[in-house]
Amino acid sequence: MYDIVLIPGDGIGTEITESVTSILDSAGVDINWINCKAGETAQKEMDNPLPEETIEAIKKYRIVLKGPLATPVGAGFRSINVALRQKFDLYSNIRPAKSLPNIESPYREVDIVLFRENTQGLYIGKEHWVDEHQQHAESIAVVTRDASEKIITAAFEYAKKHGRKKVSLVHKANILKLTTGLFLKIGKEISENYPSIEFEDLIVDNMAMQMVLRPQQFDVIVTTNLFGDILSDLASGLVGGLGVTGAANIGENAAMFEAVHGSAPDIAGQNKANPTALLFSALMMLEYLEEFRKAERIRSAVYTVLQDHKEVCTQDIGGQGTTQSYTDAICKLLRD
Ligand code: NAI
């Protein structure tokens, strides 16, 4: 029995976490869920978007399955996703994007694993007004050797462990010569320790075009925080959209598994949300716990439902069903 912190989160969070916990239950995974709150829901109910109880539970149990957390645009509290990644030094954000059976897409045989540095870069939101009339703003990007070494090494180690052939490092060192220049320099140094893995570097704008033109040329990608944020959504778009791409945030002392997507307020509460992304995140969690067989069994059930029962799938991937009909079909396969 595993003790795992569950944060359903905001928007579609409750629907997709209920779906995923029932699928894991049907597969016989024995988990004691420690229910916690964060984000907009916690702000409304507890007047704090990141309650102390939630922090203490993560410190104690160290593994988290998290639904999406909404962040107000332009004003209001700062991102709790970013706060959690920084607080627990979850430096490695791993976002796989793999073509799935029977999902309409102009792309076939995409199999990318993107490593995004998760605690620094421009994404940390260190901003200030330069003038008192708030007509001039500045934002600070932070890149350190220590954090860059950790994420780039994690990408190479993953490539080595999983028999991957190439690591592509993405930067903008022609313009941001100090910050992403340092990241690139460290990448070149580390690549020398892995002579059997091909290494290349690409400037981020070219990378965006290359991923759209011929994504099959990429294997493992490693990049800084903001570029990783954008390119991982692009990668999701290549394999069926945000509803089908999971992610892991891993540090030395804790790990948090969450979908790439947000709280999808446009479809919240309508039984339309695709739980596959969070389910794939939960499968990454099972693999982290070395429950490889159970993870594989669930993945295989998902593939069968996509292939043979497309009508029960959610509409974002071309089905005519709902969150519930899709969940029920997977649970039934797992129980039979
Ligand atoms: P979003 O990812 O919530 O939605 C973008 C589009 O994708 C929407 O049309 C939505 O309906 C669709 N979509 C997303 N997930 C889906 C799913 N599982 N099934 C079917 N369709 C799905 O991005 P948006 O609208 O930019 O952000 C909404 C909120 O989510 C914001 O407050 C943002 O800060 C937050 N957010 C949270 C993240 C996290 O918790 N890790 C990540 C990204 C955004």
Side-chain angles (χ1 to χ4, degrees), residues 11-16 18-19 264-275 312-316 319-328:
I12 58 172
T14 305
E15 298 158 75
I16 59 175
E18 277 173 4
S19 160
D266 52 335
I267 56 166
Q270 297 171 36
N271 202 11
K272 284 183 180 168
N274 188 344
V312 303
C313 296
T314 50
Q315 291 173 19
D316 59 309
Q320 295 144 30
T322 60
T323 313
Q324 196 61 52
S325 63
Y326 179 62
T327 307
D328 290 347

Side-chain angles (χ1 to χ4, degrees), residues 132-145:
E132 62 189 65
H133 306 295
Q134 301 195 344
Q135 299 302 307
H136 181 171
E138 281 179 350
S139 190
I140 296 168
V142 174
V143 172
T144 66
R145 171 168 282 274

Side-chain angles (χ1 to χ4, degrees), residues 38-200:
E40 215 169 54
T41 312
Q43 173 66 27
K44 272 188 203 138
E45 292 176 19
M46 303 160 90
D47 202 24
N48 182 354
L50 186 53
E52 201 51 41
E53 297 95 292
T54 302
I55 295 173
E56 287 307 314
I58 300 174
K59 275 190 194 154
K60 182 167 178 194
Y61 298 107
R62 303 189 316 132
I63 299 182
V64 185
L65 182 66
K66 186 184 81 57
L69 303 179
T71 308
V73 175
F77 63 83
R78 288 190 47 211
S79 167
I80 300 306
N81 297 306
V82 175
L84 285 170
R85 292 167 192 161
Q86 287 178 348
K87 184 156 196 66
F88 293 97
D89 193 21
L90 306 173
Y91 61 87
S92 191
N93 187 343
I94 309 169
R95 298 186 157 189
K98 190 170 172 14
S99 296
L100 292 164
N102 209 12
I103 288 194
E104 209 172 300
S105 162
Y107 303 98
R108 287 273 146 255
E109 292 171 22
V110 175
D111 188 3
I112 292 170
V113 181
L114 189 143
F115 281 70
R116 161 187 176 191
E117 201 292 317
N118 219 10
T119 59
Q120 309 196 322
L122 196 57
Y123 204 88
I124 51 174
K126 275 202 179 166
E127 298 187 302
H128 58 260
W129 293 112
V130 173
D131 67 326
E132 62 189 65
H133 306 295
Q134 301 195 344
Q135 299 302 307
H136 181 171
E138 281 179 350
S139 190
I140 296 168
V142 174
V143 172
T144 66
R145 171 168 282 274
D146 183 48
S148 305
E149 279 179 354
K150 284 203 282 194
I151 187 69
I152 297 167
T153 303
F156 273 100
E157 282 297 316
Y158 178 93
K160 191 168 124 188
K161 188 169 170 200
H162 293 86
R164 298 273 181 160
K165 306 255 173 312
K166 183 165 81 170
V167 172
S168 308
L169 182 146
V170 181
H171 61 89
K172 186 75 186 175
N174 53 331
I175 304 298
L176 303 168
K177 292 178 196 286
L178 301 190
T179 48
T180 79
L182 176 62
F183 193 78
L184 172 60
K185 181 172 181 285
I186 293 167
K188 285 181 177 166
E189 287 168 16
I190 290 176
S191 71
E192 287 176 11
N193 303 330
Y194 299 87
S196 61
I197 298 168
E198 189 188 335
F199 175 71
E200 65 177 359

